[in-house]
């Protein structure tokens, strides 16, 4: 179903404007701004910023370098974070001054507990203007930051140590693994993304049924890995050619095995059998025989198990005999 959202009425719109003017300064033209935006809250805030800072108030390219560095860090992190996390991705920037400027322009929202976040509309605009190299650099820094804020032997790390502002430090392990993987993928580091997923293989297998980890596996297995190429004009080099570079065979087998395990735990035995057949070496011969049986091919399973009766591994022989029985 669809729900049509209307703008604020004039009284509610005034209650939005009053705190802005009291906190950040007066802005003229409220009545005409309300008419242009039809009461849309984000539109009203944009019009307020334009009245205070000029028509280009929301043009990302016109921001001062510190403010632009801060808003780019927020766009990459894509969740409410404290200034410490922004500083971790934009070293050398006066983060407090930059965020104050961005909040005054209404490009950044203050959550109320010390954290700040971008509206999705603003985030999309910022990402669209990020050059390829900057996006990869910031994504790699975000991956390392999010990974570093997990619980250690002495507990979660503090804000001034690694940008652990509560939002990052309080992530559950499932969310942390997913976030780190997506950041490495955005950085063009498919190998590192795969290693993160495989390092928490049991967690990934147990939690994969809802689709979060299978979406990561899709991205790891099907997308090309960005790689910088040398030579050519300055323009060509700046754009960076995308070259399809597959993951190495060992990682591919491990990822295939993880996907099969997720399917098995979800009761999707036919799918697991088909994937195991399409990925030789991803699972053991005994598990492949079990999947063959679970898929309904009793004769095929019997043939596979009979071959395993002569296995030099006593445990494998015993399990094969038990399954045949």
């Amino acid at each position: 179903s669809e729900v049509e959202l209307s703008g604020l009425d004039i009284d509610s719109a005034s209650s939005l404007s009053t705190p802005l003017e009291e906190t950040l300064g007066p802005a003229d033209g409220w009545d005409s701004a309300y008419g242009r935006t039809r009461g849309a809250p984000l539109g009203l805030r944009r019009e307020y910023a334009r009245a205070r800072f000029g028509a280009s108030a929301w043009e990302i390219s016109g921001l001062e370098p510190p403010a632009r560095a801060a808003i780019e860090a927020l766009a990459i992190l894509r969740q409410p974070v404290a200034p410490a996390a922004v500083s971790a991705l934009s070293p050398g920037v006066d983060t407090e001054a930059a965020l104050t400027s961005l909040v005054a322009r209404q490009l950044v929202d203050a959550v109320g507990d010390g954290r700040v976040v971008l509206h999705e509309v603003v985030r999309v605009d910022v990402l669209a203007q990020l050059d390829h190299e900057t996006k990869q650099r910031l994504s790699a820094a975000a991956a390392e930051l999010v990974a570093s804020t997990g619980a250690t032997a002495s507990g979660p790390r503090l804000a001034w140590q690694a940008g652990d502002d509560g939002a990052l430090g309080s992530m559950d392990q499932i969310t942390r693994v997913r976030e780190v993987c997506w950041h490495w993928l955005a950085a063009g580091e498919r190998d590192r993304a795969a290693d993160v997923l495989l390092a928490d293989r049991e967690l990934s297998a147990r939690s994969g049924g809802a689709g979060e980890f299978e979406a990561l596996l899709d991205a790891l297995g099907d997308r090309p890995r960005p790689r910088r190429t040398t030579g050519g004009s300055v323009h060509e080099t700046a754009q960076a050619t995308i070259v399809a570079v597959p993951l190495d065979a060992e990682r591919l087998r491990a990822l295939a095995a993880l996907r099969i395990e997720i399917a098995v735990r979800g009761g999707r035995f036919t799918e697991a059998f088909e994937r195991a057949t399409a990925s030789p070496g991803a699972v053991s011969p005994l598990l492949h025989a079990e999947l063959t049986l679970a898929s309904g091919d009793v004769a095929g399973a019997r043939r596979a198990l009979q071959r395993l009766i002569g296995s030099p591994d006593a445990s494998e022989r015993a399990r094969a005999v038990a399954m045949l029985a």
Side-chain angles (χ1 to χ4, degrees):
S1 61
E2 295 183 2
V3 178
E4 183 177 349
L5 298 178
S6 58
L8 301 174
D9 58 49
I10 186 65
D11 292 334
S12 298
S14 296
S15 67
L16 170 67
S17 171
T18 301
L20 290 177
E21 295 192 14
E22 290 177 348
T23 304
L24 304 172
D28 297 327
W30 173 253
D31 292 336
S32 60
Y34 179 80
R36 285 194 301 273
T37 62
R38 291 180 288 184
L42 188 64
L44 288 169
R45 289 165 50 198
R46 181 192 62 196
E47 291 302 312
Y48 169 82
R50 288 176 173 174
R52 288 276 287 114
F53 299 99
S56 62
W58 269 34
E59 291 182 8
I60 306 302
S61 59
L63 294 175
E64 293 293 324
R68 179 151 188 176
I71 202 170
E72 288 173 349
L74 284 169
I76 291 295
L77 287 167
R78 69 172 183 273
Q79 59 187 308
V81 294
V86 179
S87 297
L89 263 66
S90 50
V93 170
D94 185 344
T95 303
E96 184 176 352
L99 291 178
T100 299
S101 170
L102 292 171
V103 170
R105 290 173 180 263
Q106 295 299 287
L107 286 166
V108 167
D109 293 336
V111 176
D113 58 358
R115 295 179 296 161
V116 291
V117 67
L118 292 183
H119 191 284
E120 186 64 17
V121 171
V122 179
R123 178 175 178 267
V124 168
D125 189 24
V126 174
L127 291 178
Q129 299 184 50
L130 268 180
D131 63 78
H132 183 70
E133 277 189 346
T134 301
K135 184 177 181 180
Q136 287 198 320
R137 175 178 57 79
L138 289 175
S139 295
E144 293 176 344
L145 174 64
V146 176
S148 74
T149 54
T152 63
S154 58
R157 299 181 67 178
L158 299 175
W160 51 85
Q161 292 177 318
D164 183 352
D165 56 315
L168 301 180
S170 63
M171 278 182 186
D172 61 80
Q173 187 62 9
I174 294 173
T175 303
R176 188 182 313 284
V177 170
R178 285 168 41 213
E179 284 294 304
V180 174
C181 283
W182 283 120
H183 282 310
W184 280 129
L185 282 169
E189 298 283 354
R190 290 177 64 209
D191 287 349
R192 298 192 71 165
D195 291 343
V196 169
L197 195 58
L198 293 171
D200 283 285
R201 176 170 176 158
E202 178 63 20
L203 175 73
S204 305
R206 283 190 288 106
S207 311
E212 304 98 328
F213 287 99
E214 288 188 286
L216 282 167
L217 287 166
D218 288 340
L220 283 164
D222 302 330
R223 290 198 325 188
R225 174 169 54 188
R227 171 187 284 180
R228 293 289 309 203
T229 57
T230 56
S233 68
V234 173
H235 174 75
E236 290 170 342
T237 303
Q239 290 300 310
T241 303
I242 303 298
V243 182
V245 181
L247 293 165
D248 62 80
E250 183 179 351
R251 285 190 177 93
L252 284 174
R253 279 194 300 271
L255 292 172
L258 176 57
R259 190 188 285 273
I260 292 165
E261 187 172 353
I262 291 173
V264 169
R265 293 189 183 220
R268 308 193 311 264
F269 298 111
T270 299
E271 177 191 334
F273 166 69
E274 291 172 349
R275 290 189 179 280
T277 302
S279 305
V283 299
S284 68
L286 185 62
L287 177 55
H288 192 276
E290 289 181 289
L291 292 175
T292 304
L293 179 61
S295 71
D297 184 1
V298 178
R302 181 180 293 113
R303 288 192 299 270
L305 290 168
Q306 287 172 339
R307 288 194 296 270
L308 289 171
I309 290 176
S311 170
D313 187 320
S315 175
E316 192 171 74
R317 288 199 306 272
R319 291 180 63 190
V321 169
M323 285 190 65
L324 273 173

